[in-house]
Amino acid sequence: MSDTSKFQMTTPDSVAADPQAVEILRMWWSKDEPVMSVMPAFNDPIQFGELLAYAARHMAHGYAVRHGHNEREAYNRILQGLSQVVKADNVQTVAEPVVQAKGKA
């Protein structure tokens, strides 16, 4: 990325102040593919699905505010992309090797 500050995000104050907050997902677009760190912290996977639905709504709002898109149309395009990946038969999970931090036993 040429201007990394453009893509930096900060932790919301409300989350930083919550001692029970749990980070669930970090996502990047790198080398023309999605890369992520995940924490399956919920007991029931349906909660992660709900989280993704909230994220889609919030992202549609972000497209409306930042890029001038119609929010409803942006939401529908997000759902279209989600549906395309769900239906694809070529999506694979590739885990990167876990690297031990130097100096730790």
Side-chain angles (χ1 to χ4, degrees):
M1 283 185 265
S2 57
D3 181 12
T4 56
S5 64
K6 175 180 170 182
F7 296 102
Q8 288 182 339
M9 296 188 295
T10 59
T11 302
D13 291 341
S14 62
V15 172
D18 180 0
Q20 295 182 352
V22 178
E23 187 169 24
I24 308 283
L25 175 69
R26 287 187 183 196
M27 298 177 78
W28 300 266
W29 189 258
S30 176
K31 299 178 183 174
D32 294 324
E33 64 184 11
V35 179
M36 59 197 78
S37 293
V38 300
M39 173 63 65
F42 299 120
N43 289 328
D44 187 343
I46 197 169
Q47 290 177 282
F48 185 70
E50 293 168 349
L51 180 72
L52 291 176
Y54 280 111
R57 290 270 185 203
H58 289 288
M59 188 61 80
H61 180 75
Y63 273 99
V65 170
R66 189 169 197 162
H67 298 290
H69 289 243
N70 174 286
E71 190 168 332
R72 172 58 67 187
E73 290 174 10
Y75 180 66
N76 287 332
R77 292 286 292 158
I78 290 168
L79 294 181
Q80 181 182 3
L82 181 63
S83 180
Q84 288 173 353
V85 173
V86 167
K87 292 176 185 175
D89 62 357
N90 63 344
V91 177
Q92 296 179 352
T93 298
V94 178
E96 292 187 6
V98 176
V99 178
Q100 294 283 337
K102 290 182 181 179
K104 294 192 177 189

